[in-house]
């Protein structure tokens, strides 16, 4: 099957397994080798083999991953970085200049908020925020001629609010801005923002894409080739690239993304049902629940609703901390998207950096990354921890 067919015709799982790489012509290796090399022998000065010159610019293990990422997001070009935040910073520097402005989600991932507030702002890139679920509020934040990026997470972290990708793409485009969608929580299996009008997809591949909590990585995927050229330049000029070992692990993870995501969703649905009926739980946040304010939009733009669940407890911060510490199958830890279930207290952990700002999260909030263990064991663990 040709690369073109992998990208545009084959089903998701077929692309996940085959896109980006043809078995090695010399050995027939079915999996991309880890090209642990910094440089490449040239056939005469400037005579590059396959375009490889130096591994900051390109490395075959990274090329394979980047091709797979582009195919899964239905984009034209993918770019792999050392972390999600490295991808974000490279994107901002490739698209913005001092004096430009970005609109962020008002419950953005804390690290994204910190990047804009503490790193980009001192270099002259301004930002304001709006709730992703309110298209008019996002439109109202746009500064014509100054806003370059409208940044969307959907579902958001950790409150799982939903933004309408199609509507926000048109709001951004009316103002000459790009719509950037951080697709980390959904993964391309559940949602493909570029097909809904987004210009750039961002990933922390550390999460569902890698899927095994064993690698840090980030990605950008775009359709526009002129933007792709700018990103190619900045990826090389800044140099925050993913190394070949990391690319290998991330690419291996991508191959099972579809089956993992289905099990994450199955288990999350069981967890939501259990928590919704528990006396110690005051609210459950999951876009799959019909009463969730973003449910209709999520049902339109997502295949299923994902593995992330947040909830509030009746006993305040003290009880939230106790639940986090008492859980056993749910491991107390930051991050998400791995095969193992994780539990955390956003207020004191992932979102501590937004404490005291408009983005502060409730102190009685607990976030779960529901893994793919046996669902009954997950429910029993939560029951014990809540009891
Ligand atoms: C939604 C989201 N975007 C971006 C990032 C940043 O990615 P990384 O930690 O790989 O730099 C994270 C990390 O938790 C995240 O959850």
């Amino acid at each position: 099957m040709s690369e073109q067919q992998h990208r545009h015709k084959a089903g998701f799982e077929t692309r996940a397994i085959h896109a980006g790489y043809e078995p090695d012509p010399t050995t027939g290796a079915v999996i991309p080798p880890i090209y642990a090399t910094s440089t490449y022998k040239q056939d005469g000065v400037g005579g590059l083999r396959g375009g490889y010159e130096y591994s900051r610019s390109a490395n075959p293990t990274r090329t394979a991953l980047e091709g797979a990422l582009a195919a899964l997001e239905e984009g034209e070009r993918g770019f792999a970085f050392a972390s999600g935040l490295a991808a974000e910073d490279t994107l901002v520097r490739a698209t913005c200049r001092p004096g430009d402005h970005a609109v962020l989600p008002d419950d953005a991932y804390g690290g994204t908020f910190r990047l804009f507030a503490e790193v980009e702002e001192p270099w002259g890139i301004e930002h304001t925020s709006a709730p992703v679920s309110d298209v008019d509020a996002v439109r109202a934040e746009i500064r014509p001629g100054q806003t370059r990026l409208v940044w969307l997470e959907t579902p958001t972290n950790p409150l799982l609010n939903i933004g309408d990708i199609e509507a926000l793409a048109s709001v951004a485009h009316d103002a000459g801005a790009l719509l950037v969608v951080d697709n980390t929580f959904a993964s391309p299996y559940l949602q493909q923002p570029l097909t809904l009008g987004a210009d750039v997809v961002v990933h922390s591949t550390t999460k569902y894409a890698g899927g095994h909590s064993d690698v840090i990585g980030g990605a950008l995927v775009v359709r526009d080739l002129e933007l792709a050229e700018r990103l190619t330049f900045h990826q090389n000029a800044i140099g925050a690239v993913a190394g070949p070992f990391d690319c290998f692990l991330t690419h291996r993870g991508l191959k099972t993304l579809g089956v993992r995501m289905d099990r994450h969703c199955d288990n999350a649905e069981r967890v939501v049902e259990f928590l919704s009926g528990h006396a110690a739980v005051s609210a459950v946040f999951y876009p799959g629940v019909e009463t969730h304010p973003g449910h209709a939009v999520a049902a339109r733009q997502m295949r299923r609703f994902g593995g992330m669940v947040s909830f509030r407890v009746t006993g305040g911060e003290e009880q939230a901390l106790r639940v986090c510490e008492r859980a056993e199958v749910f491991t107390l830890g930051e991050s998400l998207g791995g095969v193992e279930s994780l539990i955390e207290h956003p207020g004191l952990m992932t979102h501590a950096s937004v404490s005291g700002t408009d983005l502060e999260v409730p102190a009685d909030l607990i976030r779960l990354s529901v893994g793919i263990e046996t669902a009954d064991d997950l429910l029993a663990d939560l029951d014990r921890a809540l009891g």
Side-chain angles (χ1 to χ4, degrees):
M1 200 183 276
S2 71
E3 179 63 15
Q4 189 67 10
Q5 283 169 322
H6 281 155
R7 279 172 167 236
H8 297 297
K9 301 241 167 52
F12 185 89
E13 290 84 349
T14 309
R15 279 178 280 143
I17 292 166
H18 295 288
Y21 178 72
E22 292 291 336
D24 182 75
T26 320
T27 63
V30 296
I31 296 298
I34 300 168
Y35 282 89
T37 187
S38 58
T39 191
Y40 303 82
K41 177 177 163 58
Q42 302 191 8
D43 297 322
V45 175
L48 307 183
R49 298 186 194 173
Y52 293 102
E53 181 180 23
Y54 183 62
S55 279
R56 172 164 32 75
S57 318
N59 172 286
T61 318
R62 196 173 95 217
T63 305
L65 169 63
E66 291 177 334
L69 287 163
L72 294 185
E73 286 289 1
E74 300 197 24
E76 284 301 322
R77 294 280 307 279
F79 301 87
F81 294 88
S83 71
L85 286 176
E88 293 182 16
D89 182 44
T90 303
L91 173 64
V92 173
R93 292 205 248 177
T95 53
C96 296
R97 293 289 169 270
D100 287 348
H101 169 256
V103 183
L104 301 185
D106 73 352
D107 57 351
Y109 165 61
T112 298
F113 176 76
R114 183 180 54 200
L115 176 73
F116 274 90
E118 313 262 344
V119 179
E120 312 299 359
E121 193 160 309
W123 293 99
I125 296 160
E126 297 172 29
H127 67 276
T128 53
S129 59
V132 297
S133 56
D134 186 341
V135 175
D136 292 332
V138 174
R139 190 185 289 110
E141 286 304 321
I142 288 187
R143 302 176 183 172
Q146 194 193 355
T147 302
R148 290 280 162 262
L149 303 177
V150 174
W151 197 282
L152 174 60
E153 285 178 33
T154 180
T156 62
N157 177 11
L159 290 170
L160 301 162
N161 291 314
I162 298 293
D164 184 330
I165 297 172
E166 243 173 334
L168 291 169
S170 114
V171 164
H173 295 162
D174 285 350
L178 299 175
L179 180 71
V180 179
V181 178
D182 183 332
N183 206 25
T184 300
F185 266 41
S187 90
Y189 181 67
L190 300 180
Q191 171 175 283
Q192 291 161 317
L194 298 177
T195 67
L196 298 167
D199 301 286
V200 185
V201 165
V202 174
H203 277 284
S204 169
T205 53
T206 313
K207 313 294 164 19
Y208 289 105
H212 295 75
S213 307
D214 53 9
V215 61
I216 298 283
L220 300 174
V221 185
V222 299
R223 283 188 164 175
D224 180 70
L225 293 178
E226 192 270 324
L227 178 56
E229 281 315 303
R230 261 189 288 158
L231 292 175
T232 303
F233 175 81
H234 281 78
Q235 185 191 36
N236 180 50
I238 295 170
V241 294
F245 290 90
D246 292 355
C247 290
F248 171 84
L249 285 173
T250 305
H251 198 167
R252 181 165 70 164
L254 276 185
K255 288 173 193 276
T256 56
L257 181 64
V259 288
R260 283 189 287 106
M261 288 314 293
D262 271 329
R263 182 60 71 87
H264 282 294
C265 293
D266 290 344
N267 283 359
E269 286 167 14
R270 292 280 309 277
V271 164
V272 166
E273 194 186 350
F274 168 78
L275 291 174
S276 303
H278 201 287
V281 174
S282 57
V284 180
F285 302 92
Y286 187 65
V289 174
E290 275 178 27
T291 51
H292 185 290
H295 176 71
V297 174
R300 205 167 61 231
Q301 67 190 18
M302 298 177 78
R303 185 199 294 247
R304 295 182 71 184
F305 304 101
M308 299 303 297
V309 178
S310 293
F311 65 103
R312 297 177 76 170
V313 288
T314 50
E317 180 174 49
E318 198 186 318
Q319 190 192 12
L321 295 176
R322 211 168 48 237
V323 171
C324 290
E325 281 159 16
R326 284 171 61 165
E328 289 175 3
V329 184
F330 280 86
T331 302
L332 177 59
E334 302 202 357
S335 199
L336 58 112
V339 290
E340 64 291 309
S341 293
L342 297 176
I343 189 166
E344 68 121 358
H345 184 267
L348 293 180
M349 294 172 65
T350 48
H351 289 64
S353 60
V354 295
S355 160
T357 73
D358 292 347
L359 307 185
E360 186 168 301
V361 294
D364 57 8
L365 186 76
I366 294 172
R367 189 187 78 180
L368 303 177
S369 171
V370 180
I372 63 172
E373 299 96 334
T374 309
D376 287 341
D377 293 335
L378 298 179
L379 304 192
D381 193 41
L382 289 173
D383 202 21
R384 199 169 44 238
L386 280 162

